[in-house]
Amino acid sequence: MPHEKQDRDTEEIEDESKNIILGIVSQLRPNMDLSKVTLPTFVLEPKSMLERITNFMSHPEFLLTVPQVPSAEERFLDVCRFYLSGWHIRPPGVKKPLNPVLGETFTGFWKFPPAGPSSPGLENLNGTAVYISEQVSHHPPISAYFYYCPQYKIRVDGVLKPRSRFLGNSAASIMEGVATMKFLERNEEYILTQPNMYARGILFGKMRIELGDHVTVRCPNTDLAADIEFKVKGFISGTYNSIAGKVKRISTGEVLYKLSGKWDSEIILENASTGKSSTFLDVTELPVYPITSRPLEEQAPYESQKLWYETCEGVKARDQSLATKSKTAIEDSQREKAKAREANGEKWQPRFFKQTGPEEYLLNMDIPYNAPDAEVLSRLDSFIPIFSQRDRSHFRNLVGGGAEPQPSMQGPDPRKQVNNTGLNGTRPPNSRERPNPASSSFVTYRSDNGSVDEYHDAQMPDQKTLSQLEEN
């Protein structure tokens, strides 16, 4: 969908809600850690942080073709463009995603080309990309994630370690952690950091979200680096959502390009040697391509959408009682399990990621890069479920079988069956009841208004891969 042209970052808080916030704030002190403070559910986004991370993969047209670009400078600029393209995707107002619980997982995939609004960049893509994430630590909170597209040999490994601080009239989320993007066929590695987030106007004025501080994009293989500042508005001067940055040679410090503009609209690139400027990125009309996840009834209890289903339904319905009750029950269960581990002298071990450093994690699986694309996807899906049951059976047969996913990741939803839902359990508008996604394979169902079912039109693997496998 096109990016909405409106102020999405401010929010008027109702008097009752404002009183709740002020009651919490009265107990805080400047620079106090907010990780142990229970926030009211009306400030929550109905989505786990593990799922929200996928916002940054929602513009694949800027990423997947980068390895084919001959120029190292152009490849680096394309990576910067992709990096900057995801920040405009956010909920309206001041909302915070749900904190994942220890052991929570979220998986999904993108099928190219997508079914949604046509785009010259998207319609020329072909393949499937997968995403796997797990909450690997609770103190400190650390989310580990993995992204891989076999057809384009692009891999991303990342960790996110948010720290919250109370700053008086603001609250800050310090977004520590790095993402490492690898173009395997180019033998290039890009290292990216993230801006911090600030919620302004907690005590007075309108509540507003801002991104701030410096981020870096570095590629030692090409001797290039970008220093980009997300600028916060000054008390008197300045403007919201501005950025400024420079692209330099690491070895000499020579400035090659300058960036300026707004991360939620248009960004300008200036060639430092010629002074020529051009539009580098304009997100105002970009189609957003969200991740596709498995049907809710196929998800295990600790998968994000199923774990937080009742909480998210309460948040979306503005039912604070339901949201709070559900969220509290999940958090209380976590505390009891933590006490039991401590009493038994047990140390938590992530299930799908391995620790490679003090706060570094990688997927605990060797990726068979030289294997056929469908086989790689099948092995990943055997490691942790990513695709629906029927689709899994179909493409596994094509690659000669494969081990079934671990049983604990399967099972019916004990609370509510949700048929044919898209991201976040929402049904496409104006659509009639359609067949259950779990009972159909590689089928596209269309409603009377001609819209395409989000789940089934995004199935994998692509037809070209299937045909090659069948011929072999």
Side-chain angles (χ1 to χ4, degrees):
M1 63 183 69
H3 175 52
E4 297 178 14
K5 297 180 179 179
Q6 63 184 46
D7 185 359
R8 298 175 55 86
D9 303 316
T10 61
E11 184 173 6
E12 291 282 4
I13 303 297
E14 299 173 357
D15 290 341
E16 180 180 355
S17 299
K18 192 76 171 180
N19 290 336
I20 295 175
I21 292 178
L22 292 176
I24 295 173
V25 168
S26 65
Q27 307 171 43
L28 306 179
R29 298 293 179 268
N31 290 317
M32 183 176 178
D33 186 350
L34 297 180
S35 62
K36 297 182 180 180
V37 176
T38 302
L39 297 176
T41 54
F42 60 79
V43 302
L44 297 177
E45 177 184 5
K47 180 184 295 186
S48 170
M49 175 61 85
L50 294 182
E51 184 176 354
R52 188 176 185 180
I53 292 171
T54 65
N55 286 357
F56 308 112
M57 293 90 165
S58 296
H59 293 301
E61 68 272 31
F62 295 136
L63 173 64
L64 298 185
T65 57
V66 176
Q68 284 73 52
V69 175
S71 165
E73 281 188 17
E74 290 299 323
R75 289 197 300 276
F76 186 86
L77 290 175
D78 284 345
V79 170
C80 292
R81 182 181 290 107
F82 169 74
Y83 171 82
L84 292 169
S85 69
W87 298 105
H88 73 98
I89 306 170
R90 65 218 191 268
V94 181
K95 303 297 180 187
K96 176 186 179 302
L98 292 157
N99 293 328
V101 302
L102 191 62
E104 179 182 334
T105 64
F106 177 78
T107 66
F109 67 95
W110 294 263
K111 174 70 180 65
F112 314 118
S118 61
S119 163
L122 292 174
E123 65 188 17
N124 292 327
L125 300 177
N126 181 54
T128 303
V130 296
Y131 171 84
I132 299 169
S133 59
E134 181 181 7
Q135 190 69 8
V136 295
S137 174
H138 186 60
H139 293 298
I142 299 177
S143 304
Y145 57 94
F146 164 87
Y147 171 100
Y148 184 54
C149 185
Q151 288 82 359
Y152 295 89
K153 296 296 186 290
I154 296 176
R155 172 171 178 164
V156 180
D157 297 279
V159 294
L160 187 63
K161 179 191 168 186
R163 293 188 297 109
S164 298
R165 290 288 182 270
F166 176 63
L167 305 175
N169 193 40
S170 302
S173 289
I174 311 302
M175 308 301 283
E176 296 180 351
V178 299
T180 302
M181 179 185 299
K182 296 179 181 179
F183 298 150
L184 300 175
E185 293 183 335
R186 286 279 182 184
N187 194 29
E188 288 180 357
E189 182 174 281
Y190 297 76
I191 303 167
L192 307 93
T193 62
Q194 295 195 59
N196 300 321
M197 298 185 180
Y198 297 91
R200 310 292 193 189
I202 294 176
L203 299 176
F204 55 86
K206 285 186 178 181
M207 289 191 70
R208 182 181 186 93
I209 197 77
E210 283 193 274
L211 300 181
D213 307 318
H214 286 261
V215 301
T216 58
V217 179
R218 293 175 59 84
C219 181
N221 308 96
T222 58
D223 193 33
L224 294 170
D227 184 328
I228 303 170
E229 180 185 7
F230 285 74
K231 296 185 174 183
V232 297
K233 185 181 181 302
F235 186 71
I236 298 176
S237 61
T239 184
Y240 289 112
N241 301 344
S242 295
I243 70 163
K246 296 178 180 179
V247 176
K248 303 178 181 180
R249 293 207 182 279
I250 299 174
S251 58
T252 65
E254 176 191 3
V255 176
L256 304 177
Y257 300 93
K258 297 179 181 179
L259 293 165
S260 61
K262 292 192 172 187
W263 52 262
D264 67 336
S265 55
E266 185 179 22
I267 298 174
I268 302 298
L269 178 72
E270 178 187 343
N271 187 310
S273 61
T274 66
K276 184 178 179 179
S277 297
S278 60
T279 297
F280 183 64
L281 175 68
D282 187 348
V283 302
T284 55
E285 298 295 336
L286 283 181
V288 174
Y289 184 26
I291 193 170
T292 296
S293 54
R294 289 163 29 251
L296 194 65
E297 61 267 25
E298 292 187 21
Q299 296 185 23
Y302 263 56
E303 295 189 63
S304 297
Q305 291 181 350
K306 188 167 187 176
L307 176 69
W308 297 107
Y309 177 77
E310 288 186 355
T311 304
C312 292
E313 289 298 296
V315 170
K316 289 185 284 188
R318 301 176 68 88
D319 185 339
Q320 303 304 321
S321 176
L322 173 62
T324 302
K325 180 180 178 181
S326 174
K327 180 172 178 288
T328 301
I330 293 170
E331 294 168 343
D332 287 346
S333 174
Q334 283 290 297
R335 295 186 186 98
E336 291 301 316
K337 291 178 180 178
K339 290 179 181 178
R341 286 194 301 270
E342 184 177 359
N344 296 327
E346 298 176 356
K347 183 180 179 181
W348 171 263
Q349 293 293 336
R351 185 174 179 186
F352 301 104
F353 287 79
K354 60 183 176 182
Q355 189 168 5
T356 58
E359 294 177 354
E360 299 174 359
Y361 293 82
L362 291 175
L363 192 72
N364 193 18
M365 174 185 172
D366 293 328
I367 307 299
Y369 297 123
N370 295 325
D373 297 338
E375 181 178 339
V376 175
L377 295 169
S378 179
R379 290 194 191 183
L380 285 164
D381 185 63
S382 295
F383 178 69
I384 179 173
I386 300 170
F387 307 102
S388 73
Q389 292 176 359
R390 290 296 296 270
D391 295 334
R392 178 178 304 124
S393 299
H394 185 69
F395 73 77
R396 278 195 181 151
N397 288 335
L398 293 174
V399 298
E404 286 298 317
Q406 302 177 47
S408 62
M409 297 298 292
Q410 302 296 322
D413 185 351
R415 292 175 290 204
K416 184 176 181 180
Q417 299 292 316
V418 180
N419 294 333
N420 195 38
T421 54
L423 196 63
N424 293 334
T426 56
R427 189 179 301 278
N430 301 322
S431 64
R432 295 184 178 180
E433 197 70 28
R434 305 177 210 161
N436 187 331
S439 65
S440 306
S441 179
F442 295 89
V443 179
T444 299
Y445 296 104
R446 299 182 182 273
S447 63
D448 291 346
N449 63 2
S451 65
V452 180
D453 176 83
E454 291 180 29
Y455 184 81
H456 284 89
D457 207 57
Q459 293 310 287
M460 61 69 58
D462 60 277
Q463 191 58 47
K464 179 180 178 181
T465 300
L466 295 181
S467 299
Q468 290 174 346
L469 288 168
E470 289 170 345
E471 290 173 1
N472 294 332

